[in-house]
């Protein structure tokens, strides 16, 4: 099932910088969930925007979605792993 990605959709990769460097969705923004970057960045993000999140397994991105929901964000999708995210969005994995 394809996930529609508009020009305004924000894709968040919540893995570490090392994981991100090894391969990520083209155009994704990296925020290290374990390093506290998601929590630190939430106040600067647009709560009305659409967000797609992924990580290595879907665990960290799921936790990030929960954090963002608690902050009032409503348009959030956990795509799961990088592979699942690439499949769902049809966006290329780049290094």
């Amino acid at each position: 099932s394809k996930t529609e990605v508009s020009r305004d959709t924000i894709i968040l990769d919540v893995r570490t910088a090392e994981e991100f460097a090894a391969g990520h969705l083209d155009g994704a923004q990296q925020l290290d969930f374990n390093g506290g970057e998601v929590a630190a960045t939430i106040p600067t993000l647009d709560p009305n925007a659409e967000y797609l999140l992924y990580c290595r397994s879907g665990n960290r991105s799921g936790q990030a979605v929960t954090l963002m929901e608690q902050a009032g964000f409503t348009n959030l999708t956990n795509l799961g792993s990088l592979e699942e995210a690439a499949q769902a969005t049809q966006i290329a994995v780049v290094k």
Side-chain angles (χ1 to χ4, degrees):
S1 60
K2 187 167 173 354
T3 300
E4 288 304 319
V5 181
S6 79
R7 214 165 37 87
D8 299 324
T9 304
I10 298 166
I11 302 173
L12 297 180
D13 180 321
V14 300
R15 301 173 303 157
T16 64
E18 292 75 22
E19 288 173 298
F20 186 80
H24 57 270
L25 290 193
D26 196 10
Q29 179 183 342
Q30 188 257 330
L31 291 174
D32 182 353
F33 180 80
N34 290 347
E37 290 178 8
V38 173
T41 308
I42 281 175
T44 70
L45 297 174
D46 178 1
N48 300 311
E50 177 192 6
Y51 295 88
L52 302 178
L53 295 85
Y54 69 90
C55 61
R56 187 178 55 78
S57 67
N59 181 19
R60 282 172 283 178
S61 47
Q63 292 179 62
V65 162
T66 300
L67 263 189
M68 292 174 74
E69 280 173 345
Q70 289 167 347
F73 291 71
T74 54
N75 199 339
L76 303 162
T77 304
N78 178 7
L79 294 175
S81 69
L82 171 60
E83 293 73 23
E84 289 167 329
Q87 198 168 15
T89 60
Q90 301 293 300
I91 294 172
V93 174
V94 297
K95 290 185 179 168

